[in-house]
Amino acid sequence: MYVADSRGTPATPAVTAEAAAAPGAPRPGRRAALAPTVLALGTVSLITDISSEMVTAVLPLYLVAGLGLSPLGFGLLDGLYQGVGALVRLLGGHLGDRTGRHKVFAGLGYGLSALCKPLLLLAHSLPAVGAVLALDRTGKGLRTAPRDALISLASAPEERGRAFGVHRAMDTAGALIGPLAAYLVLRGAADGYDAVFTVSSCVAALGVLVLVLFVPGRPPGGPKAASGAAGDGRSSGPAADPAAGASASGPAGGGGGPGRPSLRGSLGLLRLPDLRRISLCALLLGLCTVSDAFVFLLLQRSTGLADRWFPLLPLGTAAAFFLLALPLGRLADRIGRWRVFLGGHLALLLCYGLLLAGGGHPALPYAVLLLHGAFYAATDGVLMAAASATVPDEHRGSGLALVQTGQALARFCCSLAFGAAWTAWGPRPALAVAGVLLAVAAAAATALRPADA
């Protein structure tokens, strides 16, 4: 659909006559081609998500039905699954910024997750499974911010919604294939779950190989270490403010020195008003976001779906995400990213409402999965595109990691609380409380929205 510019240089809003006449320059009125970095990382994510979603599709059933976990125990494990990764996101983002080697740390994260897949073959108890999942999430946490920094730095500011939309769509294509592959393996293999884990391991190794061979180490036109004139930071609002840049990377930021952003300076990015507002809103909304696994378990209970069909439920969410990620990314570039982001949480609130209404209507599963996928399409990449506009180039990985970490830790707390509420009150009262809190958090996020949203 898109032809990659062989140089991968983002288009800039102002083009001189000489530049416009240069061979290969984008013509006025034509959409710039996506950078090769975006497409290559999209391919890596597609392959890796096939591997990850094969495991994710069967994990809730494997743990609850196979190992006999209670909802509270599953909530603890699911919270661990999300929370551990959140703790290393800041580290991955900071190390990528400090060394300028975002690809290296993204690769380490992908490699660590790939190594965890065969370990699931040996884990048959809650502590062992918990340890493997914690290690897998460490890899995901390590790679996420450097990967998103590479996408952001390779894209023009006005095109970031589209760039993240394309990446998330390719990523979600893998999420579409993964559950289907798990379903087919479960049907055809005698050893069931072990076969799923084995195939997942092979696919994960392929994703790491594609990253090593095809993803550029540094996006052309990316940040010159700690230079305020690098990349697109000069036109990204508060992040382009010399005072803000100095507070984040100069002596006031902790003495990181030229080209060496400091950890103290990275944490000091929360002094940027718009980034602080975005981080706070992501945290508040994350506290009310029930994990996917619980949504699928609730949907199965509402519809009486047979266990053999359970691995296909993530397929419905992924299909909606895949179809809507690019259109909603483009819409966010046109009408404002914050509007689309909040609209995604409205879709999630409607999803909760349908699950509470229940009933045996045959359209219920389709409506719930459509809204669930729309929620992710309107929030995942759009949030990163919105946050990118508030962070200087030399701190891009750290700034995105701050937002991601707050959101992931909030969802970790939500998993723990929802699992406990399910155990104490039952699934419907627990979901009703989550829905009320989500409505309140969305109202607060509307009031706290960034100044330029």
Side-chain angles (χ1 to χ4, degrees):
M1 185 182 298
Y2 299 99
V3 179
D5 182 349
S6 61
R7 292 171 301 281
T9 305
T12 54
V15 180
T16 64
E18 293 82 358
R27 296 177 185 176
R30 292 185 61 184
R31 189 178 293 276
L34 285 175
T37 300
V38 176
L39 299 176
L41 284 169
T43 303
V44 173
S45 292
L46 186 155
I47 296 170
T48 302
D49 237 40
I50 294 175
S51 169
S52 298
E53 293 300 326
M54 286 183 69
V55 174
T56 302
V58 302
L59 196 62
L61 200 60
Y62 174 63
L63 295 174
V64 173
L67 297 184
L69 239 59
S70 68
L72 176 58
F74 182 76
L76 289 169
L77 194 59
D78 189 66
L80 176 72
Y81 193 62
Q82 298 186 48
V84 170
L87 297 178
V88 297
R89 290 187 192 220
L90 283 173
L91 179 64
H94 171 68
L95 290 176
D97 290 340
R98 187 171 179 83
T99 64
R101 298 180 180 275
H102 295 100
K103 175 185 173 179
V104 170
F105 292 99
L108 287 174
Y110 279 110
L112 186 58
S113 293
L115 288 175
C116 290
K117 301 302 188 296
L119 294 180
L120 286 171
L121 294 167
L122 307 175
H124 298 291
S125 65
L126 177 58
V129 172
V132 173
L133 294 182
L135 194 61
D136 176 73
R137 291 299 92 179
T138 298
K140 180 175 176 61
L142 187 64
R143 72 181 183 245
T144 299
R147 180 203 66 199
D148 285 350
L150 285 170
I151 295 171
S152 173
L153 293 168
S155 309
E158 68 277 8
E159 292 286 333
R160 287 197 188 116
R162 182 172 70 116
F164 277 104
V166 168
H167 174 267
R168 291 329 194 240
M170 295 179 73
D171 180 273
T172 309
L176 275 168
I177 299 170
L180 181 59
Y183 171 73
L184 294 175
V185 171
L186 280 177
R187 285 195 60 183
D191 51 357
Y193 296 116
D194 285 352
V196 171
F197 299 151
T198 300
V199 175
S200 173
S201 303
C202 298
V203 177
L206 177 61
V208 175
L209 183 63
V210 172
L211 175 86
V212 171
L213 295 179
F214 297 106
V215 175
R218 298 168 186 261
K224 309 296 186 275
S227 170
D232 56 90
R234 60 186 178 276
S235 60
S236 55
D241 183 2
S247 69
S249 59
R260 308 276 294 181
S262 68
L263 182 58
R264 178 183 169 190
S266 298
L267 294 174
L269 289 171
L270 289 175
R271 290 195 293 268
L272 299 174
D274 281 350
L275 182 65
R276 184 170 61 248
R277 287 171 177 263
I278 287 175
S279 299
L280 179 58
C281 290
L283 187 148
L284 288 174
L285 292 165
L287 286 171
C288 316
T289 303
V290 175
S291 76
D292 297 357
F294 278 125
V295 169
F296 299 143
L297 287 171
L298 285 163
L299 183 57
Q300 185 194 32
R301 284 173 175 256
S302 297
T303 59
L305 196 69
D307 286 354
R308 70 178 181 275
W309 299 108
F310 187 86
L312 295 183
L313 292 180
L315 194 65
T317 293
F321 192 172
F322 173 74
L323 293 173
L324 295 173
L326 180 55
L328 290 178
R330 286 176 169 172
L331 182 65
D333 286 337
R334 290 200 302 268
I335 70 170
R337 289 156 188 162
W338 206 246
R339 292 180 181 178
V340 174
F341 178 70
L342 290 176
H345 285 86
L346 176 60
L348 182 62
L349 189 59
L350 292 174
C351 177
Y352 290 178
L354 289 178
L355 287 171
L356 286 170
H361 198 285
L364 176 65
Y366 303 100
V368 167
L369 296 175
L370 175 63
L371 289 168
H372 199 227
F375 158 67
Y376 280 112
T379 57
D380 192 4
V382 171
L383 178 62
M384 292 298 96
S388 295
T390 69
V391 187
D393 286 359
E394 64 272 15
H395 282 281
R396 187 63 50 81
S398 300
L400 297 183
L402 283 170
V403 179
Q404 294 164 352
T405 298
Q407 184 182 59
L409 288 175
R411 290 180 178 179
F412 163 75
C413 294
C414 184
S415 287
L416 297 181
F418 190 83
W422 181 329
T423 302
W425 307 331
R428 290 173 62 83
L431 187 61
V433 171
V436 171
L437 293 177
L438 179 60
V440 173
T446 302
L448 290 171
R449 67 185 183 275
D452 60 346

